[in-house]
Amino acid sequence: MRPMHIASVGVPRLSAYVARAVARPSVATASRCAPVTGMRAFSFARACHRDTAWLDRGRMTYEELKPYTEAPSGKITLIDVREPNEVAQGMIPAAVNVPLSEFGSAFNPNSYSENANDFERKFSFPRPSFDDPIVFYCRSGKRSQQALETARERGWWNARNYSGSWMDWVAHEKEKQSSEDEE
């Protein structure tokens, strides 16, 4: 019996068809898909199945963030991008710190596999995967916006910014404390 040649079963034609289908998605598919740009480590098909409901809420507010900090589930990673000397003033409960000065190298998708252990050793938590929900904050919201933009450009699409950041958090906590003291 003679071996069958791949061309005789039509595999090249099938792979060409698949390549054209991926390169030019139908209008119905494209409308449900987020754009796939930049250095993303996921496929077009995976990008089409994103749950953007959490992301579509826009900027994070104190009222939305507070329940996550009271009962952390581990589903959301809250990242403080302030420098260590600022973090010494305090942090939002359940937050972890990745200073903005180290953010670019820490969230480099090209170093994902070889430096994953280094990230965890350096920052004491595993680097979030590309699909994990992330909330960034800083002192007033400007640096966390920079971190958000960098993260999204590099493939961490499911990230939001706590717009008030540390200053807003402290103001709300003081207000809450003073209202409890009056009772």
Side-chain angles (χ1 to χ4, degrees), residues 4 6 13 19 33-34 41 52 77 79 91 99 104 106 109 111 119 131 136 138-139 146 149 153 163:
M4 204 176 237
I6 292 178
R13 282 179 272 158
C33 299
T52 62
T77 305
I79 300 179
M91 287 178 74
S111 67
F119 182 96
D131 295 331
F136 296 109
C138 61
R139 181 179 174 271
Q146 280 182 277
E149 291 168 7
E153 287 170 6
S163 55

Side-chain angles (χ1 to χ4, degrees), residues 27-82:
V27 172
T29 305
S31 65
R32 292 189 313 249
C33 299
V36 180
T37 59
M39 300 181 294
R40 299 219 170 123
F42 45 84
S43 69
F44 177 81
R46 186 171 179 190
C48 290
H49 299 294
R50 293 179 177 171
D51 179 9
T52 62
W54 183 77
L55 184 66
D56 292 341
R57 295 182 198 163
R59 291 181 169 207
M60 179 73 72
T61 62
Y62 173 85
E63 290 75 19
E64 187 179 0
L65 183 60
K66 182 66 175 173
Y68 292 120
T69 64
E70 291 175 332
S73 63
K75 292 180 181 177
I76 294 175
T77 305
L78 179 59
I79 300 179
D80 184 344
V81 296
R82 296 178 297 159

Side-chain angles (χ1 to χ4, degrees), residues 6-179:
I6 292 178
S8 67
V9 293
V11 173
R13 282 179 272 158
L14 176 62
S15 63
Y17 172 77
V18 170
R20 281 193 306 273
V22 170
R24 290 177 287 157
S26 69
V27 172
T29 305
S31 65
R32 292 189 313 249
C33 299
V36 180
T37 59
M39 300 181 294
R40 299 219 170 123
F42 45 84
S43 69
F44 177 81
R46 186 171 179 190
C48 290
H49 299 294
R50 293 179 177 171
D51 179 9
T52 62
W54 183 77
L55 184 66
D56 292 341
R57 295 182 198 163
R59 291 181 169 207
M60 179 73 72
T61 62
Y62 173 85
E63 290 75 19
E64 187 179 0
L65 183 60
K66 182 66 175 173
Y68 292 120
T69 64
E70 291 175 332
S73 63
K75 292 180 181 177
I76 294 175
T77 305
L78 179 59
I79 300 179
D80 184 344
V81 296
R82 296 178 297 159
E83 296 302 316
N85 62 330
E86 296 173 281
V87 172
Q89 299 170 3
M91 287 178 74
I92 296 175
V96 292
N97 180 241
V98 178
L100 190 61
S101 61
E102 299 179 42
F103 192 84
S105 60
F107 281 81
N108 180 351
N110 295 328
S111 67
Y112 194 78
S113 58
E114 67 251 15
N115 293 339
N117 292 333
D118 293 340
F119 182 96
E120 191 164 356
R121 217 177 355 263
K122 186 169 191 169
F123 300 110
S124 301
F125 73 99
R127 183 165 71 178
S129 71
F130 291 104
D131 295 331
D132 290 346
I134 305 169
V135 176
F136 296 109
Y137 81 94
C138 61
R139 181 179 174 271
S140 62
K142 291 180 182 174
R143 287 175 288 173
S144 56
Q145 184 63 35
Q146 280 182 277
L148 172 72
E149 291 168 7
T150 300
R152 285 186 179 167
E153 287 170 6
R154 294 179 175 194
W156 282 270
W157 63 273
N158 205 13
R160 294 172 63 193
N161 185 17
Y162 173 29
S163 55
S165 283
W166 177 247
M167 292 172 65
D168 183 63
W169 181 268
V170 170
H172 276 90
E173 291 294 299
K174 283 182 181 177
E175 183 180 302
K176 181 180 171 188
Q177 185 63 39
S178 65
S179 66

